[in-house]
Amino acid sequence: MKTIAITKYGSADEFKEIDMDRPVPQENEVLVKIHAFSINPMDIAGRMGALGTPFTDKWSFPLVLGWDFSGVVVQVGSQITDFKVGDGVFGSAKTAHEANNGTYSEYVATDTTELTHLPNGLTFDQAAALPIGGVTAYYGMNHSLKLQPGQKILIQGGAGGVGLFAVQIAKAFGAYVATTASENHRELLKSLGADKVIDYHKESPADVLNDFDAVFDTVGDIDTGLKVLKPEGKLITIAAQPTKEQKNASFQFTHGTGKDLDALAELVLSKKIKLEIQSLPFSVESVVAAHKSIEGRHTTGKIVIHEEN
């Protein structure tokens, strides 16, 4: 099968097109013909050798990176009952996948922990953009923070891949949403429902916000986030490890499920989430360009790589 892989850790220019053996699904797995995959910041960390266990436990070179995908089931293991050959699906590959079993590829074999059916009306490109970024944000709003209508939340880093989801999901939950971003993202975030956009280059949220119920931190600025909370408020971060002194702060370990993906898909289909997607054709050049864009913080929303029609 055709893959876009690396033969050593390093820069984005290490990617090559390499023919590798197709992964073989285990009895509790499905094999999916990939139609599209998206690229996440953790992919960049993986390419640079900055991810440790459990991600790298089964890795060797050549290595196919990637987790998010959408496609069609072409084979099912003997224990699989909820999916059949021909089903459109989307989800996230196993955290600790084998070297030939990332999603920058024609096929992926994965269990069904974070897999669901592709609903009518959702495209393969849209579906591939949802899993890691969308589930991380949804898990934060729904499970970690248990956000309620009328509550006030600050989302630090609203224009990033996770932040854009978080702003829209928080609004769908009925919250008042403040967020931080650079001035050039103000209009986009306002159009997505943000009630207040703070240009972090010019002012600190701690100087203009107070008595907030929740903070969702995607940038690693826990101290500033804690300053806007009410005494019983809660901060969840996906970008730093809180110290013992930061008592109202917790790190989020995301454990997404197919039901979380279903909820995200419904929010997209009901137009409560607007996806910002840049779609590129399946090629080494596309993956290199995507990695460099994300690494240089030049990306708004998600970059999706899809097969040619």
Side-chain angles (χ1 to χ4, degrees), residues 134-145 252-256 260:
V135 168
T136 298
Y138 184 81
Y139 195 92
M141 302 303 110
N142 191 52
H143 303 293
S144 300
L145 291 169
Q252 175 176 298
F253 293 94
T254 304
H255 302 288
D260 293 327

Side-chain angles (χ1 to χ4, degrees), residues 150-162:
Q151 288 188 322
K152 296 191 295 183
I153 183 171
L154 167 64
I155 294 166
Q156 293 174 284
V162 174

